[in-house]
Amino acid sequence: MSLTAQLANLGSEVGRTSKWISKGKDKMAESAFIRALDLFDLTIKYARLGLPNRNEALKELCYSRDLFTKAYLEKDIHELYLLDKYFYHYSVAYSRTM
């Protein structure tokens, strides 16, 4: 899977996490959060395997993961919304390649 596809999938889980927290559905939010962390970790692992501009990609991925985790734990709806908006652009980019 391309990096764009991976980030689009990851963004879907970030969006689900944000949506469920804003609706007060804690169990659903937790499930989406765990899936998103799994996708973050897999994407970070992939980036270590030889992605062009690997250092920049790893830095961005790790920073995004930290922001996402902090926003989830603090139930910071605004920060989760911003992360969802950030990852949305990967979904658009990926849909244009199909």
Side-chain angles (χ1 to χ4, degrees):
M1 216 184 253
S2 70
L3 180 61
T4 304
Q6 289 178 354
L7 292 173
N9 286 329
L10 198 160
S12 295
E13 294 304 331
V14 169
R16 285 184 188 100
T17 303
S18 176
K19 177 179 80 173
W20 293 126
I21 283 182
S22 68
K23 291 185 176 192
K25 305 275 186 171
D26 292 339
K27 291 251 185 209
M28 302 280 285
E30 182 181 4
S31 295
F33 173 71
I34 291 168
R35 286 190 306 271
L37 287 184
D38 288 342
L39 291 172
F40 265 112
D41 293 341
L42 287 170
T43 306
I44 289 167
K45 182 179 178 181
Y46 168 77
R48 288 186 176 140
L49 296 177
L51 184 69
N53 301 318
R54 176 175 55 191
N55 291 338
E56 291 82 7
L58 282 170
K59 183 177 178 181
E60 184 86 12
L61 286 166
C62 292
Y63 183 65
S64 298
R65 186 184 190 282
D66 287 346
L67 284 176
F68 175 66
T69 302
K70 182 179 182 215
Y72 173 77
L73 293 174
E74 295 176 357
K75 296 192 182 209
D76 185 343
I77 300 296
H78 179 70
E79 187 66 31
L80 287 168
Y81 169 77
L82 292 175
L83 286 163
D84 182 29
K85 189 174 176 182
Y86 171 79
F87 283 106
Y88 172 76
H89 296 287
Y90 290 104
S91 296
V92 171
Y94 179 65
S95 68
R96 291 182 180 167
T97 64
M98 296 175 65

